[in-house]
Every structure is written in C-alpha cells, then in structure tokens.
C-alpha cells in the first residue's frame, strides 16, 4: 500500500549522506569522496535532531573525541591504510553487549554505572574493520519482553508511529536504523530480538545459525548475535565482519566469512517455499496480518519461486514447551545470583523473576527433555526440507502495539498466558538453530510495518541471503516507504 507522507523534518534538513546505504557510504569513504570526519559530523548532527523523538541511541560518547577518532581514520586513508569496509563508520552497540569504554547497563539500575573494559568479540571485529563506536542502542530491561523500555533510559518509540512499540530486544538498533541514525547495527536474538524490531521497522535482519558468529562454550545456546540493516547487501557485509571461526569458540563454523562479500545474484526459478502461517490456526494473529504477509507471495513468484502452504503436521505445541524449558534454563542461570541477593532482587524486572523461578524448579529430567525436545523438533523441520528449499512464516503475531502497553494480553480474543506467548511465532525457529532472515512485507491500513521470517537450511546463510536479495529487488520496501520523520 502507499503511505501518505507524514510531518517530519523539512527535506532540506535530511542530509543526503545519511540516506546512503552502508555499502554506498563505504565506497564513497574509500574513494575519498566523503571524509570520515564529514561522515561523523553529519551522522552526529542527524542523531541530535532525530534521536530525541524516539530515544534509540543512549550512552553517547563525547563528540570531540569521536571527531578526533574520525580524523585519525582519515589520516590512515591518507597513508593508504584502510582497516576494512566499515572504515570511519559510526556504530552504536546494543546495550546487552560490551564495548570497551562504554557502560553495559542491560537497561537495569543494577548495572547503570557499569563500564566495559573489553569488547565483545563481534564488537572487536567491527572496530577492527574500521568502525567507531559512538554509543549504545537501547534495550528492554535485561533484554526481556520484545518491547524496548527500561528504568535507566526510558522507552524507545517506533520509527513509523511514535505511539507504538519499536519491538525488542534490538529495538533501539531497529529504530536507529530505520531513521538513518546508523548505517548498520548489531543485534542479538533469543526470542525474535532481531526479527521483531526488523519487522516493525521496515528493515532487514539475519538471525544466523549456531556457530556462524562465534560465542564461547560447548553448548549451542538459543541466543545468537546477528546483523541488521536497511538492505540485504548491507546485512551480508556486516555478517562478513562478524562471522568467522575463533579459537575461543569451539562450535564456530570453519568457513571463510569472505563468502558473504560475493555477488548476491542467483536464479531462483523453480524454488519451492513452504508457508507455515499460523500453523493451521494454532497461533493467534492480529486481523489482517496473515493477509499482508501473503502479499509477499507475489514477489516471490515474480522471481521464479512457488510458495505453497505446508500441509504436514508439525509438533508445534511440543516445540513451545521445549522452548520454555530452554528459556528458563538460560535466562534463569544468567540471573540466579541477582535473584538470590535481596538488594538486587528488589530491582529485577518481573519477567526476570518469572524466568529465575522457572529455572529453580527445573530438574535433571527437565534438562534432558530440553535437549531431546530440540533434537526432535530439528528432525521434524529437517524433513520439511525434503519437500521445500526454504520456509516462510510471519515475523510477529501482532502489528506494533501501544507503547504504554507492557505486552499484549490477548490477540484476536485469545488470552496470552505468559509475557512472551504473543511472540510464539519466532520460538520454533530459534529452537531449530537454522538461519533466518526477516524481510519487510509492507504496511497495514494504519501505516504499521510487518515482516516475514525466511528460513534456510542448516549453515546455508549464503543462499538465504541471495534469495532475500532477489525478493528485495522485487519489493524494495525500505527505500519506498521512509518513516514520517524523514519525509
């Protein structure tokens, strides 16, 4: 649909530089047509004008120091030295990940005064590629709830309607990207935290498969780090920076991430895509959402794909129960000490308490059920790939909801029994560990954006991105419909 222009900044106040895609900005910097100082000054000025309206970027660094870092990057280019494709890029790191010299508050008063002394691995890789960290992006408290508000920094508002939620937990990243305050952004995803904000921000994101972006430990945990952007090419390039094996991560994939800098062009004639929808009515969905998602079928058909409903029955009820075990296990484990201390327990978000109390009730048998349940779900999904090349599902079950609402209590007249049941559509695909791209599908009559999850085979991020790129060429939602503040 066509969305009427909103009342935003005068067009003369929207710098052309911030409207560039990330790969375009990179190319112009390396050709010396734009200096790193010019890029930094322009982005910081744009952030000063736009960010107060949505509260996406927090913990800003000193502007003079940032300009000095950009000047240093220009001097490197003068010497013929280029750190990488992100040379001179301003970036803001999600406030669940460490960036040395910046606080990692997790949106909690408990950590409001914390200061990271080292970078998370993916942050270090972005810095090594030339990026300059300017601040952090806002998150829900402890990253829980898929609605970005917290007592430290307040609420992040939706880029397309400031009375609505920006999603989460990468809500700050999504709003900043949509409003062109950042060229690309990092995020993380346990229960749709890359997918929900992308869908609600008319953006592209990739939840990579386990091991694609390294994380320490011997357990393939449901939470992964991933890239967000306005185009598939931008997302692929950021993936090339974040991905790649590391000796500290024994499960990391031994594949050269340079793969993701290649040509995204590919013929998809005859490709079969299975549409999951609401699992034959199992999931509650807001009126009009599935119809809007189905409009994407035409774009896939245009590039040679056939989209058809999946008729095979999947054990989605069991998948949800398995997911809940993993959720309590991982979130409870990470916060058990805070819960045990009365001083910090009093400051915990109720959703954290819910997960810790669930964790405390887990038995060894429950952990066994979590492990075997995930294996069984993966086997069931794998059998679908005997029939289909890719799978397709909604990225959310509701359109962006009222910003003052904590979480949707009901959908289409059906009560939600937990704080996260309204996002169940993403849970089975988290459980599978498969790579998932969230792609825009357009807007409802109220001008609210939505997206779909495009799900690929194990370790197949590259063909997934290639199909996403072909779809993007047929639709181009991100460039077609700007947020009202930019019109």
């Amino acid at each position: 649909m066509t969305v009427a222009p909103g009342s935003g900044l005068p067009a003369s106040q929207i710098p052309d530089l911030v409207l560039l895609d990330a790969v375009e900005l990179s190319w112009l910097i390396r050709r010396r047509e734009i200096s790193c100082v010019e890029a930094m000054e322009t982005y910081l000025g744009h952030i000063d004008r736009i960010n107060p309206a949505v509260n996406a970027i927090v913990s800003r660094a000193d502007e003079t120091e940032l300009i000095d870092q950009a000047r240093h990057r220009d001097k490197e280019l003068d010497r013929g030295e280029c750190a990488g494709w992100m040379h001179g890029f301003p970036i803001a790191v999600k406030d669940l990940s460490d960036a040395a010299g910046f606080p990692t508050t997790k949106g909690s008063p408990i950590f409001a005064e914390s200061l990271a002394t080292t970078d998370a691995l993916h942050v270090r890789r972005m810095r090594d590629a030339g990026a300059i960290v300017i601040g952090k992006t806002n998150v829900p408290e402890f990253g829980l709830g898929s609605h970005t508000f917290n007592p430290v920094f307040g609420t992040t508002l939706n880029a397309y309607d400031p009375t609505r939620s920006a999603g989460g937990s990468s809500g700050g990243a999504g709003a900043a990207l949509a409003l062109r305050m950042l060229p690309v952004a990092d995020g993380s995803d346990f229960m749709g935290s890359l997918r929900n904000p992308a869908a609600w921000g008319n953006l592209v994101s990739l939840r990579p498969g386990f091991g694609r972006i390294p994380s320490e430990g011997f357990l393939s945990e449901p939470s992964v780090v991933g890239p967000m952007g306005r185009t598939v090419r931008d997302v692929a390039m950021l993936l090339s920076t974040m991905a790649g094996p590391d000796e500290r991560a024994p499960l990391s994939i031994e594949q050269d991430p340079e793969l993701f800098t290649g040509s995204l062009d590919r013929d998809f004639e005859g490709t079969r895509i299975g549409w999951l929808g609401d699992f034959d009515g199992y999931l509650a969905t807001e009126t009009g959402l599935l119809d809007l998602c189905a409009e994407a079928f035409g774009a896939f058909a245009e590039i040679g794909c056939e989209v058809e409903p999946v008729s095979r029955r999947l054990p989605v009820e069991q998948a949800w129960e398995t997911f809940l075990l993993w959720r309590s296990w991982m979130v409870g484990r990470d916060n058990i000490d805070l819960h045990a201390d009365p001083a910090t327990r009093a400051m915990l978000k109720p959703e954290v308490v819910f997960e810790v109390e669930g964790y405390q009730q887990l038995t060894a048998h429950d952990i066994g059920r979590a492990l075997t349940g995930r294996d069984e779900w993966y086997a069931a999904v794998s059998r679908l790939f005997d029939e289909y090349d890719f799978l397709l599902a909604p990225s959310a079950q509701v359109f962006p909801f009222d910003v003052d609402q904590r979480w949707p209590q009901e959908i289409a007249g059906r009560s939600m029994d937990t704080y996260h049941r309204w996002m169940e559509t993403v849970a089975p695909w988290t459980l599978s560990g498969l790579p998932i791209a969230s792609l825009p599908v357009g807007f409802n009559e109220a001008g609210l954006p939505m997206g779909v999850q495009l799900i690929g085979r194990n370790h197949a991020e590259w063909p997934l991105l290639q199909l996403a790129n072909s779809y993007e060429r047929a639709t181009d939602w991100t460039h077609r419909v700007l947020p009202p503040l930019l019109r």
Side-chain angles (χ1 to χ4, degrees):
M1 63 173 287
T2 301
V3 179
S7 56
L9 289 173
S12 60
Q13 292 188 31
I14 309 297
D16 290 340
L17 189 153
V18 303
L19 297 176
L20 295 171
D21 295 338
V23 291
E24 295 172 331
L25 176 64
S26 175
W27 186 75
L28 291 173
I29 287 175
R30 284 179 291 170
R31 284 176 56 89
R32 311 308 305 279
E33 294 185 30
I34 294 174
S35 71
C36 298
V37 168
E38 180 185 0
M40 182 61 70
E41 290 177 337
T42 302
Y43 266 100
L44 293 179
H46 184 63
I47 291 169
D48 286 340
R49 288 189 296 270
I50 295 291
N51 194 54
V54 293
N55 191 37
I57 298 176
V58 298
S59 301
R60 286 271 299 277
D62 178 74
E63 183 172 340
T64 301
E65 180 182 334
L66 294 174
I67 298 299
D68 285 344
Q69 291 185 55
R71 188 173 291 112
H72 175 71
R73 289 298 189 201
D74 280 327
K75 290 178 179 178
E76 289 177 327
L77 291 176
D78 289 340
R79 298 192 299 266
E81 302 169 4
C82 181
W85 84 281
M86 301 181 78
H87 195 100
F89 272 32
I91 60 167
V93 175
K94 184 175 178 178
D95 200 21
L96 299 181
S97 295
D98 286 343
F102 290 84
T104 306
T105 76
K106 303 180 183 180
S108 169
I110 298 171
F111 301 112
E113 303 302 322
S114 69
L115 196 68
T117 57
T118 59
D119 288 331
L121 178 59
H122 74 279
V123 176
R124 171 47 49 192
R125 287 179 169 181
M126 290 192 290
R127 289 209 214 230
D128 288 345
I132 299 170
V133 180
I134 66 168
K136 305 298 284 287
T137 54
N138 204 21
V139 297
E141 191 175 353
F142 288 94
L144 301 184
S146 208
H147 176 24
T148 299
F149 68 95
N150 63 68
V152 180
F153 298 114
T155 304
T156 297
L157 309 180
N158 189 284
Y160 283 86
D161 184 341
T163 71
R164 305 285 179 143
S165 171
S169 59
S170 308
L177 271 173
L179 289 164
R180 277 57 178 176
M181 291 188 281
L182 297 172
V184 287
D186 73 300
S188 56
D189 186 305
F190 191 131
M191 193 175 185
S193 293
L194 280 161
R195 292 163 281 173
N196 172 244
W200 288 3
N202 193 34
L203 298 165
V204 179
S205 69
L206 178 74
R207 178 193 157 92
F210 295 127
R212 178 60 66 187
I213 296 174
S215 59
E216 297 180 10
F218 285 93
L219 184 67
S220 295
E221 297 192 11
S223 182
V224 297
V225 170
M228 300 179 72
R230 291 185 291 273
T231 70
V232 175
R233 167 51 72 192
D234 290 352
V235 167
M237 288 299 296
L238 185 52
L239 180 63
S240 76
T241 298
M242 301 167 81
D246 185 272
E247 63 182 10
R248 291 164 291 184
L251 300 183
S252 55
I253 297 173
E254 297 286 339
Q255 187 177 38
D256 188 350
E258 189 72 13
L259 164 71
F260 301 110
T261 66
S263 172
L264 286 163
D265 294 339
R266 179 175 168 181
D267 181 9
F268 283 97
E269 190 68 37
T271 297
R272 299 186 67 198
I273 301 176
W275 166 244
L276 281 307
D278 60 0
F279 293 105
D280 295 323
Y282 169 73
L283 296 177
T285 56
E286 187 173 345
T287 301
L289 189 147
L290 292 177
D291 290 339
L292 180 60
C293 291
E295 291 182 15
F297 298 176
F300 283 110
E302 184 179 326
I303 59 178
C305 301
E306 179 184 357
V307 182
E308 59 184 70
V310 172
S311 58
R312 179 178 298 192
R313 175 70 175 161
L314 291 171
V316 288
E317 299 92 340
Q318 178 186 341
W320 175 245
E321 295 303 319
T322 299
F323 179 85
L324 290 180
L325 290 172
W326 277 92
R327 183 76 167 179
S328 293
W329 180 10
M330 299 293 102
V331 177
R333 176 203 62 185
D334 291 344
N335 296 289
I336 186 68
D337 291 340
L338 296 176
H339 185 271
D341 184 340
T344 51
R345 180 177 182 176
M347 292 188 279
L348 289 179
K349 186 177 183 177
E351 289 83 346
V352 179
V353 175
F354 172 85
E355 299 293 0
V356 173
E357 290 178 348
Y359 172 73
Q360 290 174 321
Q361 295 172 17
L362 292 179
T363 65
H365 176 66
D366 291 326
I367 301 301
R369 288 198 299 124
L371 294 169
T372 58
R374 189 165 74 169
D375 291 344
E376 290 169 358
W377 174 251
Y378 182 82
V381 173
S382 294
R383 287 191 289 271
L384 287 182
F385 285 101
D386 293 335
E387 303 175 49
Y388 303 104
D389 302 298
F390 298 89
L391 301 174
L392 197 65
S395 291
Q397 290 166 238
V398 294
F399 291 99
F401 55 82
D402 189 291
V403 74
D404 293 324
Q405 187 177 6
R406 193 174 185 92
W407 45 274
Q409 303 290 319
E410 61 89 21
I411 302 174
R414 289 162 60 177
S415 177
M416 300 291 103
D417 58 355
T418 69
Y419 77 93
H420 43 25
R421 189 72 181 238
W422 64 275
M423 281 296 292
E424 187 175 354
T425 185
V426 300
W429 313 114
T430 291
L431 205 61
S432 74
L434 299 173
I436 309 158
S438 183
L439 306 174
V441 295
F443 299 76
N444 69 2
E445 293 300 324
L448 300 174
M450 184 45 59
V452 287
Q453 301 173 82
L454 183 64
I455 303 148
R457 298 173 186 269
N458 189 35
H459 293 180
E461 284 87 351
W462 185 233
L464 178 66
L465 288 167
Q466 288 178 312
L467 177 55
N469 180 67
S470 294
Y471 169 83
E472 180 178 85
R473 287 185 175 183
T475 57
D476 199 24
W477 282 111
T478 302
H479 294 117
R480 283 170 57 193
V481 185
L482 293 175
L485 283 171
L486 302 183
R487 300 178 200 159

